[in-house]
Amino acid sequence: MKATGNGSRGRPDFLLLIMTLLLVGFGLVMVFSASSGIAVVSPKFGNDALYFTKRQLAFAGLGIMIMLFIMNLRYQLFKRGFILLLGPVLFMLLVVPFVSEEINGARSWFGIGSLGVQPTEFAKLTLILYLGSLITKKEEKFREFKRGLLPVILIVCFFCGLIMLQPDLGSCMVLAACATVMILAGGANLKQIMLTGTVAALAITVMVSLSMAIDPDPWNYRIERFTAFMDPMGNAQDGAFQLISSLQALGHGGLTGAGFGESVQKLHYLSYAYNDFIFAVIAEEFGFIGSALFLLFFLLFLWRGLIVALRCPDLYGTVVGVGIVGLFAIQAFINIGGVTATIPITGVTLPFISYGGSSMLVCLMCMGVLLSISRESNRIADKTDKPKR
């Protein structure tokens, strides 16, 4: 497909690029702090304090190279280029529930040697690019239900259905919420969205009920987490142990924190201190002030990304950019909300910070697309500001 616009590429949004690299760097530091105490005493990890950090660093390095490569492509190429991701991602989503090992009630990972690949993470970027292309292709028809909104909803339901085969409720919620943000950004009819949301909620309730009736075992873990959220102290010996440990970490951190590397809860109390509960470690080691500064920085990062998306000269770039920013915002809210007992824990990672190769790669790929959008916006802005001779 021929990219729109002529002339040289514009400059990327360097502030957004620097903020991304700072988040990645901070994430690596926190992965080391949260994992070193466990890894150094475990033969499973070779008694290597840097076991998780080295792996995360490798994925971060690869992700940054991919980000810079994508950043130098015209984002319009993804209007059709998403098909290169769609086939492999759908195949992996179809296969993974049947070939992967069950972990915490879900079959979500392909084991490749000592590494694990999570297809759901790649499905997030694929769906964003797919929906962006579909929404902008329909243009004014998108405000019609039958020819506009309905096909988009069916695609989202198909992706969510494949993910629920694992089942991965947290990722399904992220995907559905992200799609909703993109649909709103694309200019859909609000009344249609409200009606569809009501019907979808009823349908999800029915499907979950049927799934629990047919095979209740995979849902026991999630029910346990929800029960723990409702009454942590009453379930201290069962599902609430992780949540209570997380809250104790927040309390121990106080105003100024226990100091870098001085977290207590990460030492065999929090099972996934370097992953799902890494924000609890941040709060314990840096306190309320440090946590607030981190959240402020993350909000500024999201705000900058949203500005880039809204400045885009065409609807496709805006919808995709808003989808990417929405993905980061929704994941951060669900992760931090679970850690702080604001919402039930769902096992969603904190973007750029939590340990996880697939998550890191996809986050940086998303940033490559967003930075590509910023280059086109800046190219047009520079062309407009250039004085005529």
Side-chain angles (χ1 to χ4, degrees), residues 102-114:
E102 184 174 316
I103 302 174
N104 294 333
R107 299 178 180 272
S108 305
W109 290 268
F110 281 113
I112 303 177
S114 60

Side-chain angles (χ1 to χ4, degrees), residues 136-153:
T136 53
K137 184 178 179 180
K138 292 184 176 296
E139 297 180 341
E140 290 301 319
K141 293 179 182 177
F142 187 55
R143 293 188 63 83
E144 301 176 17
F145 181 75
K146 189 174 181 180
R147 293 190 297 174
L149 185 59
L150 182 59
V152 173
I153 292 173

Side-chain angles (χ1 to χ4, degrees), residues 84-237:
L84 298 175
L85 286 173
L86 183 61
V89 166
L90 289 178
F91 175 76
M92 288 191 293
L93 288 176
L94 283 167
V95 172
V96 72
F98 305 102
V99 301
S100 66
E101 181 182 353
E102 184 174 316
I103 302 174
N104 294 333
R107 299 178 180 272
S108 305
W109 290 268
F110 281 113
I112 303 177
S114 60
L115 302 176
V117 177
Q118 192 172 8
T120 302
E121 293 295 329
F122 295 93
K124 295 172 183 175
L125 175 58
T126 303
L127 184 63
I128 288 173
L129 297 177
Y130 189 5
L131 291 187
S133 178
L134 187 62
I135 289 171
T136 53
K137 184 178 179 180
K138 292 184 176 296
E139 297 180 341
E140 290 301 319
K141 293 179 182 177
F142 187 55
R143 293 188 63 83
E144 301 176 17
F145 181 75
K146 189 174 181 180
R147 293 190 297 174
L149 185 59
L150 182 59
V152 173
I153 292 173
L154 291 176
I155 290 168
V156 175
C157 289
F158 180 64
F159 271 80
C160 289
L162 291 178
I163 291 171
M164 287 308 296
L165 290 176
Q166 302 173 15
D168 186 350
L169 182 60
S171 294
C172 185
M173 290 168 57
V174 169
L175 218 61
C178 182
T180 302
V181 171
M182 293 184 69
I183 288 170
L184 289 170
N189 187 297
L190 291 178
K191 290 182 179 179
Q192 293 177 3
I193 294 175
M194 294 292 290
L195 180 60
T196 304
T198 303
V199 174
L202 293 172
I204 290 170
T205 303
V206 172
M207 287 190 295
V208 170
S209 300
L210 288 174
S211 176
M212 291 175 65
I214 295 170
D215 186 11
D217 290 341
W219 290 95
N220 290 337
Y221 182 72
R222 287 158 186 81
I223 294 172
E224 190 177 81
R225 279 189 164 186
F226 183 75
T227 304
F229 165 74
M230 296 299 293
D231 183 15
M233 296 307 172
N235 296 273
Q237 300 302 317

